[in-house]
Amino acid sequence: MQVGWLTAFLDLPADAFGEEVRFWRAITGSTVSPPRGEHREFASLEPFTGDPHLRVQSVDDGPGGMHLDIHTDDVAGAGAEAVALGATAEHDAGTHRILRSPAGFRFCLVPWEGESERARPIRWPGDAISIADQLCIDIPAPVFDVEVDFWATLTGWAPVPDDRAEFVHLTRQPAITLGLLLQRLDSGHTATAHLDLATSSVPDEVVRHEGWGATVVELFPSWTVMSDPAGGRYCITARRPRTGR
């Protein structure tokens, strides 16, 4: 399968959709595209430069979460390949496929429409720069190795161990804004995901996010776990914003 582009989808509860879109628009320095879909439930967060790699969706049931869109030039072939590697097919919508990985993480295969321009980080007042540029898939420990093999084989991106044993990166692609990080968790039964931001100053970025209604959940040496206004978790990390490393 050729991965042309990746998009992280924030699936937001309908009753918090407007507030959440305003928060993520402000945090990422984006504009919001006109809504689309049968119920006007989809929109793109369009960066100042580059092609969109973040999208939002209003969901009527449940607390929301995140899923991944993989843009490819052969949706049907990629779907068959994913199933052969252990994914479960949930829905064939004709133009796109909805599947779940071996650990239960939901993702979609969608047509690649030529997206190729990587977004640039934004410099904020105070001189810190940041960009939301990584999807971290949180995987229960018993199925972690199987899930790493699945994503590495499906994307063709080599897994790279981190200094911390619970993390594995998939080799970052220079032309694609969004990177993939796989994290092993000691609890849980189904894989989920959260968004990571890279910044030149974690403390400054935390203060900026708090100003828009986010709260600090937990502090680590190289990253801070945050909660957005609706309770969704994400991380602000000390990775290099221009390279993602």
Side-chain angles (χ1 to χ4, degrees):
M1 180 183 71
Q2 180 184 6
V3 178
W5 195 251
L6 295 178
T7 299
F9 242 108
L10 292 99
D11 302 317
L12 307 174
D15 59 359
F17 185 72
E19 180 185 5
E20 284 288 271
V21 171
R22 284 191 293 273
F23 173 80
W24 285 104
R25 177 201 60 76
I27 289 307
T28 59
S30 306
T31 58
V32 182
S33 73
R36 56 188 181 273
E38 182 180 356
H39 305 289
R40 298 169 62 85
E41 69 272 33
F42 302 112
S44 299
L45 297 180
E46 298 183 340
F48 182 70
T49 60
D51 291 311
H53 63 285
L54 302 174
R55 292 193 170 118
V56 293
Q57 174 180 207
S58 175
V59 295
D60 294 327
D61 300 319
M66 296 204 70
H67 74 269
L68 175 68
D69 275 10
I70 301 175
H71 303 236
T72 181
D73 56 0
D74 181 4
V75 170
E81 182 179 349
V83 170
L85 291 171
T88 301
E90 287 200 337
H91 180 61
D92 180 352
T95 57
H96 64 278
R97 307 284 198 276
I98 303 174
L99 305 97
R100 287 192 182 269
S101 71
F105 178 62
R106 186 161 59 97
F107 67 100
C108 296
L109 297 168
V110 302
W112 180 31
E113 297 179 346
E115 298 93 340
S116 60
E117 185 180 353
R118 183 170 179 166
R120 296 177 184 174
I122 292 179
R123 187 176 298 276
W124 303 100
D127 216 31
I129 63 175
S130 70
I131 183 172
D133 70 334
Q134 182 169 267
L135 186 72
C136 179
I137 303 177
D138 303 310
I139 305 162
V143 291
F144 182 72
D145 291 342
V146 171
E147 192 78 351
V148 170
D149 287 344
F150 171 79
W151 287 107
T153 304
L154 183 66
T155 61
W157 299 355
V160 181
D162 190 82
D163 292 339
R164 297 177 64 100
E166 68 268 31
F167 293 117
V168 172
H169 301 262
L170 296 188
T171 302
R172 202 168 186 99
Q173 304 302 300
I176 298 177
T177 304
L178 196 70
L180 294 178
L181 174 66
L182 310 176
Q183 178 177 207
R184 185 178 65 244
L185 300 182
D186 293 330
S187 60
H189 302 285
T190 301
T192 57
H194 68 266
L195 196 61
D196 287 346
L197 287 85
T199 181
S200 60
S201 174
V202 172
D204 288 350
E205 191 72 357
V206 167
V207 170
R208 186 174 71 86
H209 288 224
E210 289 177 323
W212 286 99
T215 55
V216 173
V217 175
E218 195 169 3
L219 300 172
F220 292 90
S222 298
W223 73 92
T224 297
V225 182
M226 304 292 293
S227 176
D228 69 23
R233 299 289 177 92
Y234 66 99
C235 292
I236 300 174
T237 77
R239 292 176 297 110
R240 294 183 180 90
R242 291 188 176 90
T243 64
R245 297 184 176 89

